[in-house]
Amino acid sequence: MQGNVACAEGALAAGCTFFAGYPITPSTEVAEHMAAKLPKRKGCFIQMEDEIASMAAIIGAAWTGVRAMTATSGPGFSLMMENIGYAVMSETPCVLINVQRGGPSTGQPTMAAQGDMMQVRFGSHGDFSIIALAPSTVQECFELTAKAFNLADQFRCPVFLMADEVIGHMRERITIPDSVQIVRPKPLQEGMLPFAPEDDLIPGFAAFGTGRKIPVTGLTHNEKGYPDSTNPARHESLVRRLVDKIETVRHSIADYEIVNEEAEYVFVCYGSPVRTVQEVVQRAKTPGTGYLHLRMIWPFPEQLLSRFPNVKAFIVPELNLGMISREVERHVCVPVISAGKIGGELHAPDELVAIVEQLRSGGCP
Amino acid sequence: MRDDWLRADRLPHIYCAGCGNGTIMNCVLEAVDQLGWNMDETVFVSGIGCSSRAPGYIRTDSLHTTHGRALAFATGVKMANPSLHVLVFTGDGDLSAIGGNHFIHACRRNIDLTVVCMNNYIYGMTGGQGSPTTPIGKTSTTTPYGAAEMPFDLAELAVAAGANYVARWTSYHVTELTKAVVAGIQTPGFSFIEVRCQCPTSYGRRNKYRQPGDFITYLRESAVLKDRWDRSSAGEELPSEKFLIGEFVRRSRPAMGVPDEA
């Protein structure tokens, strides 16, 4: 099965019944698969006039209580930024798949990249936090998309599956379980205000049409949902809560794999470069190497970096000129080697082995 | 009762003295009340601007969204749950400038929404900039020497784009406006009601209608009944300072998001 199709199947398994999208390479197969499947399940597929509208439509749909998703790539992702901020501010659960391609601008529509890793975290204006996952196999396309819906509902925020063209168009054999775990948002309790947080900083959710008369706005608002945009204390408490509800649990929700904690040279990787790293560390058994494979990039679980007591350097191979490498760098006191690569091809194992050998011989790659 | 639809704890509202938006809200709430809509099955959606603050004062579920995107959000609400009544408040700038693409596509899809556009010829909330409906020659903060661009005719645009119901009235024509909202709601598919209304603060002040009464008089005197004009004009063009009011179209093209008759 193709990675993009696996994303769609993961969404369907998770009970997604609403998809709004706009065609864009290399993500289009997600939309095409949803267009074929959703009408047969009494769901709704709608092709919108652009990505701004797609993002808007899934937010509107999510407020009726359905699981809603869109899929896009770089240029469309840029168009979605404002409404992503709206989903954050209005605490709307929704899932976005970004099958990353080379940018900036139209760039390389058919080539892989991971150039949107900072945009997903910081692209919309203002302070906020989101959750972003990255698949490195077709199996993970399925599993992480399904998981994204649970996280979106649990934390009431947009959750992103940051795939790339290689994973999206790769075909692998996968195992689809009979059912996947489904965690829906906790309900808005009787007598609770619609934006009043519980102990976990997250308010309960009530869908439109259930009698709770919820006023939703992108303006800074009070716990009733009423605009209150010139009160500094209100803004600070609201925005800090929106950030803290995600950041305070970043270590407990971290999704990762660690191989060889004793390593001196540790790769930090996510998405398709994980495959090259596995080749270098596990199959080629390059001496002294290990890796941290992050399936969840944001919120960034920096404590995992301290799990390597012998580390001499972290190496971050990613399909950009160094994005997550900077995030690693600000948390550690050893050298961080950014092995960024752009152009659309994955790193060859030899390229990464050469970096390790250069480090071991005292050089600086 | 119409008053039951309002959130008393949100008052006072932000509208300026003499603003036409309250009149239009009143007509819309009168219409939904006449139709016996249940508040718990009704969703008001809006974008950004003075018009778009209206849903926040209404005691239903509501989505006050991003600038220009109300129709795209409303599309998601309605298509995900067609049994909800979905009504959109928007303004001339929100709908036809930044939201112009969503407007024509919502008309084309003929989604079962009712859209009320408060067309006050200006961006009121940001202090009076020219909009796509500012008439030629009129003054705004961004057209200090008079607007030079041809304005949109929003009702004709909706007709051309495929909406099933289109009407235009003014904030003077409250009875007709209320009836038009009822008719629009009752017509399956996309219903568009443009309401020309006064903005004494941001538009009137710079264009000799500082007094709300003068502005409403201007609206009344500029409005020409479409039926009458169609009968008597013999195909000649309407003088540029006038505009047509009335029902522009009522038809039954295929629509989306219409609740099942069950």
Side-chain angles (χ1 to χ4, degrees), chain A residues 18 43-50 52-64 66 82-83 86 90 92 206-219 224-227 229, chain B residues 7 9-10 39-45 48 53 55-56 58-67 69 71-81 84 98 101-103 105-106 108-109 111 256:
Chain A
F18 188 93
C44 175
F45 170 89
I46 186 162
Q47 183 170 322
M48 296 301 289
E49 52 272 22
D50 57 32
I52 300 173
S54 302
M55 188 63 213
I58 68 165
I59 295 171
W63 274 100
T64 71
V66 304
E82 186 188 10
N83 284 339
Y86 183 86
S90 60
T92 308
F208 283 0
T210 59
R212 299 303 292 268
K213 300 182 174 69
I214 301 175
V216 180
T217 180
L219 285 166
K224 287 180 173 176
Y226 291 1
S229 63
Chain B
R7 293 182 189 268
D9 61 344
R10 279 290 321 272
M39 283 177 215
D40 290 342
E41 296 167 354
T42 303
V43 181
F44 283 88
V45 182
I48 293 293
R53 289 302 192 96
I58 301 174
R59 224 157 59 80
T60 66
D61 293 317
S62 62
L63 266 183
H64 173 228
T65 68
T66 49
H67 195 23
R69 318 301 172 196
L71 289 173
F73 281 87
T75 296
V77 175
K78 187 66 178 171
M79 293 305 294
N81 186 352
L84 294 171
I98 189 167
N101 200 29
H102 309 306
F103 179 37
H105 284 278
R108 173 182 66 80
R109 291 188 189 102
I111 294 187
M256 294 172 69

Side-chain angles (χ1 to χ4, degrees), chain A residues 166-178:
Chain A
V166 164
I167 299 299
H169 284 156
M170 177 185 291
R171 286 169 199 275
E172 289 182 309
R173 184 182 297 272
I174 74 167
T175 305
I176 293 183
D178 292 337

Side-chain angles (χ1 to χ4, degrees), chain A residues 186-190 192-193 195-205 223 241 245:
Chain A
K186 60 182 182 186
L188 177 61
Q189 302 297 331
E190 279 307 316
M192 282 290 278
L193 295 172
F195 295 96
E198 296 182 12
D199 291 343
D200 58 3
L201 306 179
I202 301 161
F205 181 81
E223 294 182 344
R241 177 175 70 73
K245 71 177 179 179

